Amino acid sequence: MNLILLICLLVSIMTISIPSNAYACSCVEPKSVQDEFSRSEAVFSGRVIEVKEERTNRYLSNAVLFETSEIWKGGSESQIIIRTGSGGGDCGIQFKEGEDYLVYAKPSSMYGAKEQLVSIICDRTNVLAQAEEDLAILGEGKAPTQQVDHTRELNRLNSGVWMTVLGMGLLIIVVAFLVWRRVRKK
């Protein structure tokens, strides 16, 4: 019984001690296409290949892999990964696999420890079929010229999380063993 209480206490302390930032989603009036374009690092259209949920620093977010079809700003790669929230008050866009989007993305650490390309509901990112105004102003983009495959990168995303879980599990086993040994000696 004492062992179970000790393990629960240890897990609670570890959970509470992990730092986290809080973000709330509050959008002001939408920016013009020109303003959004100038503040974005990447502007492209593409089809969502995969949406992968990831947990970093107690955040639940989504990594979204796109097959780019047209690029107005940013790199020239055939695939790109952006981050967004998982929904609710975290500003996330609910991207659907197989759908085409016009994406405005900028670097941010909003969904992780390091800066990554992020798009949120406050941006002009939209389903491509509903982005006629933007497309008319943006004009013709360029086709991607660098063929890449980011599928493996997307599948590696949560490996750090699993290492943390494994480490916590090993710590619990060691503590349990030490407590068991101590109780056994009495």
Side-chain angles (χ1 to χ4, degrees):
M1 183 66 169
N2 289 337
L3 178 62
I4 293 172
L5 288 174
L6 181 64
I7 291 172
C8 288
L9 179 65
L10 183 64
V11 169
S12 297
I13 290 171
M14 291 174 72
T15 302
I16 293 169
S17 67
I18 298 172
S20 68
N21 297 327
Y23 293 96
C25 193
S26 176
C27 304
V28 293
E29 289 208 22
K31 295 189 175 3
S32 68
V33 174
Q34 294 87 346
D35 287 345
E36 192 73 34
F37 182 85
S38 65
R39 29 176 297 209
S40 297
E41 185 172 294
V43 179
F44 64 92
S45 64
R47 177 162 288 162
V48 175
I49 298 172
E50 187 176 352
V51 178
K52 185 162 190 150
E53 196 173 80
E54 62 181 336
R55 181 176 289 281
T56 55
N57 296 341
R58 293 177 58 190
Y59 292 115
L60 190 59
S61 62
N62 290 326
V64 186
L65 176 63
F66 285 90
E67 185 72 38
T68 56
S69 53
E70 212 168 353
I71 301 168
W72 289 269
K73 189 174 185 181
S76 59
E77 294 185 343
S78 61
Q79 290 186 350
I80 190 167
I81 297 173
I82 66 154
R83 270 56 178 197
T84 193
S86 60
D90 65 4
C91 303
I93 299 172
Q94 298 302 306
F95 289 105
K96 294 185 177 91
E97 291 181 11
E99 281 203 45
D100 295 313
Y101 291 85
L102 174 62
V103 179
Y104 294 86
K106 58 192 136 316
S108 174
S109 58
M110 184 175 191
Y111 299 112
K114 64 178 186 171
E115 281 205 344
Q116 322 171 69
L117 285 177
V118 169
S119 189
I120 60 174
I121 61 173
C122 299
D123 299 331
R124 291 186 66 92
T125 296
N126 203 348
V127 175
L128 192 61
Q130 297 172 6
E132 301 90 10
E133 176 189 349
D134 294 64
L135 293 171
I137 293 170
L138 291 171
E140 193 172 329
K142 59 182 179 175
T145 56
Q146 186 180 358
Q147 293 299 314
V148 295
D149 185 359
H150 289 308
T151 309
R152 289 176 62 182
E153 180 184 339
L154 190 72
N155 291 329
R156 271 195 317 251
L157 288 177
N158 283 331
S159 61
V161 173
W162 287 111
M163 290 300 206
T164 303
V165 170
L166 181 62
M168 288 171 61
L170 287 173
L171 181 63
I172 290 170
I173 290 169
V174 167
V175 169
F177 174 74
L178 292 173
V179 169
W180 171 78
R181 217 170 113 189
R182 188 173 192 199
V183 169
R184 192 171 151 238
K185 284 185 178 181
K186 289 183 180 183

